[in-house]
Amino acid sequence: MADQEKAVYRVEGFSCAGCAGTFEKKVKNLSGVTDAEVNFGAAKITVYGETNVAELEKAGSFEKLKVRPEHERVKKASNVQEQNHLSFIQKHATIIGSLLFLAFGLLSLVVNGEDNLVTILAFASSMVIGGHSLFKVGFMNLMRLQFDMRTLMTVAVIGATIIGEWTEGAIVVLLFAISEELERFSMDRARQSIRSLMDIAPSEALIKRNGQEMTVAVEDIRIEDVMIVKPGQKLAMDGVVVGGNSSINQAAITGESIPVEKQVNDHVYAGTLNEEGFLEVRVTKHVEDTMISKVIQLVEDAQAEKAPSQAFVDRFAKYYTPAIIGVAFLVAILPPLLAGASWDTWIYQGLAVLVVGCPCALVISTPVAIVTAIGNAAKNGVLVKGGVYLEEAGRLRAIAFDKTGTLTKGVPVVTDFTTIGQVNEEELLTVIAALESRSQHPLASAVIKKAEQAKVSFKNVEMKNFSSITGKGIKGEFEDTIYYIGNKNLFDEVLATSVPSELHAKVETLQQQGKTALLVGTSKGIKAVIAVADEVRDSSKEVIERLHGLGIKETIMLTGDNHGTAQAIGNQIGVTHVQSELMPEDKLNYIKSFTRKHGRVAMVGDGVNDAPALAASTVGIAMGGAGTDTALETADVALMGDDLRKLPYTIKLSRRALTIIKQNISFSLGIKLLALLLVLPGWLTLWIAILADVGATLLVTANGIRLLRVKEDD
């Protein structure tokens, strides 16, 4: 399908997952369409082939669906209050009309009696008005022998009218219409977090182009345009600051509550708020490629990914519905055939079984929780890329952390520089900085910064034959001498004799202080020892304590640092295990063995050099997703801000979601089982059956929506 024309549309009006499935099938049958995929959670449909909005709305006419292209902005009503009032009347016209005729029928029942023509016509009108869309789909499904909830309801209502139960038939239709409206409302409520993300970025911006300032719609803004952002305004596009400085509130993207200082050459994102300064920003991305657009797209795609519990419900419903039809048929015929009981009584009981067996609450129980949780997470700066990862995060009992940039700030500094023997410190520092400037190792930046602070000129120094020695250090040739910078293992190989014992003691002392010791020298001897330390994040110890409080049994730090340095930092933070001196492939292998031991393990890293370990873990969690595309692509969960405190919130939200999903499934099945038991004494009625279904739907949706209230500081 990759080579075919693809178009994505937003859909308004889905009342249930079953209706979304019906719409998908109808669209697939349209002329020119080769395939279609409905994302019920995000209320979208992806169409492969050629079609248009009119054809799609025609396919969705059974549900009065409204369709629009994905990126088409909705025009805001000029009179919001009036529009909301009209919208309410229009949306609920069938329910209101059905209710009025039902009330008139009940009044006629009291005055004229049950068999009166006026009474029957009133109830029949109530059923037709409230259930015309139900019957339209139900009859179609019945002819195709497709049995879903609408088929069950249609058969039940037809049966009720045949045996003269007009009153209960009308009540069933009205309550089913209300139930569908509840499902529609609950899913809209669950999607509101994503809708709020869509609305935060302005639809136009002030642009300076060809020396002139003009207001331009975001769709028409070009890359390299300069956007002018005044204090108190939101940024409409992603870009790089080319003029001015200010503090930017990035809460909409990263969930950070504290504004971030931005100056020239810093990246800024659409949807963030310029709090105080005047900024000129060079636009770097089209509107559909901005960070907020990418986050929204990923979140909506995540909602289409079925969680294990949702997949279970779908499989269960596939067999559940035919089973209910079979049970209802047996209830209707066995007592009259075997015991000579009344046909009317037991046909009525069979119809009640059909109604109570309607799987509305069961079908909605999982999606409403998944969509709500993923939306809430996105609003708080955490991107969960699917229901499966949401559930797996809730089952974690062990979490592994990369050290650098995750538990530490990732900005190392030189703490000690000790020369050995008769060495010119400035000249040696020049050689060291020239070597390190060619290295990609994280510690190189600390050495370069040290040289810059000492005002040592190293950028023009000619360094020949530079090479990196994996896991050990670097080397390069300066004035016919090969210099080495690295760990003890490197110099054990380079020196004719082993590293002197007094240097061993020096290195061990530094490592016990949580520092990384680098040796500098040639094949003839060691000339200096450099100690570099990476500061621990202020939040790391608190996060580890909170994770242990949430029931995470083991927390482990994985690092390439030597054992002494790693152990010192591990003790400071409070992790349960430390694994040090690891090569990248060692981290991967350790994650695999850790997974075999604990079953489920998360890996938290920066999403770049930890990509293999992230991929091998049960749940890969990347730090600072807003700063790197790699993090968004490789991780299952991305903490959009560079804030580790989002991790306990994510675990807590996942566990709440898992609990609510289990509660919803158990309750929706339990209430039906309880209602079915009423068949034995013959107490089950149609209105009790539909009331049980409506009640269950209302309770599971309300329970799922509670996930919107989960906050980071709970």
Side-chain angles (χ1 to χ4, degrees):
M1 291 187 292
D3 298 331
Q4 298 179 22
E5 184 179 345
K6 181 179 81 170
V8 182
Y9 301 87
R10 298 199 174 274
V11 185
E12 294 178 10
F14 281 143
S15 62
C16 63
C19 308
T22 301
F23 178 56
E24 181 179 276
K25 290 175 184 176
K26 286 179 171 289
V27 172
K28 285 180 178 179
N29 291 329
L30 290 176
S31 176
V33 173
T34 56
D35 199 7
E37 297 172 357
V38 166
N39 180 339
F40 177 58
K44 294 186 347 184
I45 184 169
T46 302
V47 181
Y48 297 90
E50 295 183 2
T51 189
N52 54 52
V53 170
E55 288 295 316
L56 292 173
E57 290 191 342
K58 185 177 179 181
S61 60
F62 70 97
E63 189 76 348
K64 296 182 180 177
L65 300 178
K66 296 296 180 184
V67 180
R68 62 181 173 85
E70 181 182 25
H71 297 296
E72 181 180 292
R73 290 180 175 262
V74 180
K75 295 181 180 179
K76 295 182 179 179
S78 56
N79 188 332
V80 176
Q81 190 172 8
E82 180 183 345
Q83 289 296 324
N84 285 342
H85 176 69
L86 288 175
S87 178
F88 179 84
I89 298 296
Q90 291 169 348
K91 283 182 179 178
H92 304 291
T94 55
I95 292 178
I96 293 170
S98 180
L99 181 61
L100 289 175
F101 274 101
L102 177 63
F104 181 70
L106 291 172
L107 179 63
S108 178
L109 178 65
V110 173
V111 175
N112 301 317
E114 187 176 0
D115 296 327
N116 183 269
L117 182 60
V118 174
T119 303
I120 293 173
L121 286 174
F123 286 138
S125 299
S126 176
M127 283 189 277
V128 170
I129 292 172
H132 67 277
S133 62
L134 161 68
F135 300 140
K136 186 176 179 180
V137 178
F139 279 123
M140 192 179 301
N141 289 347
L142 201 56
M143 292 170 61
R144 296 173 180 171
L145 297 179
Q146 295 174 347
F147 297 100
D148 61 8
M149 62 187 74
R150 294 195 169 204
T151 313
L152 297 183
M153 294 301 299
T154 300
V155 172
V157 173
I158 291 171
T161 57
I162 290 174
I163 63 174
E165 295 291 344
W166 293 95
T167 307
E168 295 202 27
I171 292 173
V172 164
V173 169
L174 177 61
L175 289 177
F176 184 76
I178 293 172
S179 174
E180 286 198 319
E181 204 56 50
L182 285 173
E183 286 192 45
R184 184 183 288 112
F185 168 78
S186 65
M187 289 305 296
D188 284 346
R189 185 87 168 83
R191 295 175 186 126
Q192 73 171 6
S193 295
I194 304 306
R195 288 181 176 171
S196 66
L197 286 177
M198 291 177 180
D199 293 337
I200 62 173
S203 58
E204 56 187 23
L206 183 61
I207 295 296
K208 184 162 65 175
R209 187 186 291 170
N210 300 325
Q212 293 185 331
E213 293 184 6
M214 61 189 78
T215 300
V216 180
V218 290
E219 292 84 359
D220 300 323
I221 294 176
R222 307 168 192 160
I223 291 177
E224 300 297 328
D225 275 345
V226 175
M227 180 171 59
I228 297 172
V229 190
K230 299 175 182 177
Q233 290 184 337
K234 285 185 177 181
L235 281 75
M237 304 289 285
D238 284 9
V240 175
V241 177
V242 293
N245 58 78
S246 181
S247 58
I248 300 291
N249 187 328
Q250 299 187 152
I253 303 290
T254 65
E256 297 169 284
S257 57
I258 300 174
V260 179
E261 293 298 321
K262 297 289 184 180
Q263 50 194 344
V264 173
N265 293 329
D266 284 343
H267 288 272
V268 289
Y269 306 111
T272 57
L273 176 65
N274 179 22
E275 293 206 331
E276 50 189 38
F278 181 91
L279 291 177
E280 291 189 350
V281 177
R282 177 172 54 82
V283 176
T284 57
K285 294 181 180 178
H286 294 294
V287 64
E288 62 270 18
D289 298 323
T290 61
M291 180 58 67
I292 188 67
S293 296
K294 189 175 293 184
V295 169
I296 291 169
Q297 183 67 49
L298 287 169
V299 171
E300 290 185 334
D301 289 346
Q303 292 173 344
E305 295 292 328
K306 290 185 178 179
S309 56
Q310 189 172 347
F312 159 75
V313 167
D314 290 346
R315 287 195 306 270
F316 182 80
K318 183 179 179 181
Y319 301 103
Y320 168 84
T321 305
I324 283 293
I325 293 173
V327 170
F329 180 73
L330 293 176
V331 167
I333 67 167
L334 286 184
L337 289 176
L338 299 180
S342 167
W343 280 99
D344 281 359
T345 299
W346 286 99
I347 287 176
Y348 178 84
Q349 288 291 301
L351 295 174
V353 169
L354 282 181
V355 173
V356 81
C358 183
C360 296
L362 180 64
V363 170
I364 198 70
S365 61
T366 302
V368 70
I370 295 293
V371 171
T372 303
I374 289 176
N376 185 17
K379 199 172 182 181
N380 284 280
V382 179
L383 178 61
V384 183
K385 292 172 69 175
V388 61
Y389 307 118
L390 181 73
E391 289 196 13
E392 292 290 7
R395 296 188 177 100
L396 292 172
R397 290 293 178 269
I399 301 178
F401 296 85
D402 172 52
K403 178 184 75 72
T404 306
T406 302
L407 293 173
T408 63
K409 293 180 179 178
V411 185
V413 294
V414 173
T415 58
D416 303 78
F417 179 47
T418 307
T419 57
I420 299 169
Q422 299 298 314
V423 176
N424 184 309
E425 184 174 319
E426 184 175 336
E427 287 182 5
L428 183 59
L429 185 57
T430 301
V431 174
I432 293 169
L435 254 177
E436 291 287 10
S437 66
R438 290 160 172 79
S439 171
Q440 297 298 317
H441 196 279
L443 299 183
S445 61
V447 178
I448 293 169
K449 188 175 181 181
K450 168 75 174 175
E452 289 174 342
Q453 290 173 344
K455 297 183 179 178
V456 170
S457 178
F458 62 89
K459 294 182 180 178
N460 296 322
V461 172
E462 185 180 359
M463 187 66 62
K464 299 178 182 177
N465 302 319
F466 172 85
S467 65
S468 175
I469 306 166
T470 305
K472 295 177 182 178
I474 57 176
K475 68 175 183 178
E477 184 180 340
F478 174 68
E479 294 183 349
D480 299 325
T481 301
I482 298 176
Y483 285 83
Y484 298 86
I485 302 175
N487 56 27
K488 182 182 96 47
N489 294 336
L490 174 62
F491 281 89
D492 280 340
E493 295 178 3
V494 170
L495 297 177
T497 59
S498 60
V499 175
S501 57
E502 62 271 18
L503 282 180
H504 266 296
K506 172 73 173 175
V507 168
E508 287 180 7
T509 300
L510 292 170
Q511 290 175 349
Q512 288 169 2
Q513 297 170 358
K515 301 173 182 177
T516 298
L518 299 175
L519 301 179
V520 181
T522 67
S523 60
K524 295 179 180 180
I526 296 172
K527 296 181 177 292
V529 178
I530 301 175
V532 179
D534 184 5
E535 292 182 86
V536 173
R537 289 181 185 269
D538 298 334
S539 60
S540 293
K541 185 175 182 179
E542 174 199 347
V543 167
I544 298 299
E545 288 175 351
R546 288 182 64 189
L547 289 173
H548 290 162
L550 285 169
I552 299 297
K553 301 299 182 184
E554 293 195 47
T555 51
I556 186 161
M557 185 176 78
L558 306 178
T559 178
D561 276 354
N562 63 77
H563 182 70
T565 301
Q567 198 62 53
I569 293 176
N571 291 339
Q572 181 181 347
I573 293 170
V575 293
T576 56
H577 297 287
V578 173
Q579 290 293 321
S580 55
E581 301 182 6
L582 300 178
M583 303 286 282
E585 59 268 26
D586 295 330
K587 288 186 182 181
L588 173 61
N589 292 332
Y590 192 80
I591 286 293
K592 288 179 179 178
S593 65
F594 204 44
T595 303
R596 286 193 294 270
K597 177 182 175 183
H598 295 283
R600 292 181 175 88
V601 57
M603 172 67 188
V604 186
D606 61 13
V608 182
N609 57 0
D610 296 312
L614 287 169
S617 61
T618 310
V619 181
I621 302 173
M623 290 279 292
T628 166
D629 289 341
T630 308
L632 293 179
E633 292 166 5
T634 60
D636 306 317
V637 176
L639 310 182
M640 299 302 291
D642 202 22
D643 187 358
L644 199 58
R645 285 171 294 190
K646 298 290 181 184
L647 184 56
Y649 156 78
T650 305
I651 301 298
K652 179 176 61 179
L653 176 67
S654 301
R655 290 192 176 170
R656 292 262 185 98
L658 203 56
T659 299
I660 282 176
I661 288 168
K662 290 177 180 176
Q663 289 173 347
N664 283 354
I665 293 174
S666 300
F667 178 77
S668 57
L669 289 175
I671 196 72
K672 293 185 183 304
L673 179 61
L674 185 63
L676 287 172
L677 290 176
L678 296 178
V679 172
L680 298 177
W683 295 346
L684 185 62
T685 63
L686 284 172
W687 68 267
I688 288 178
I690 189 64
L691 202 57
D693 186 67
V694 173
T697 301
L698 182 60
L699 286 173
V700 299
T701 54
N703 198 31
I705 287 172
R706 284 197 305 129
L707 288 166
L708 286 172
R709 294 160 55 189
V710 179
K711 292 183 173 59
E712 185 181 343
D713 54 359
D714 283 354

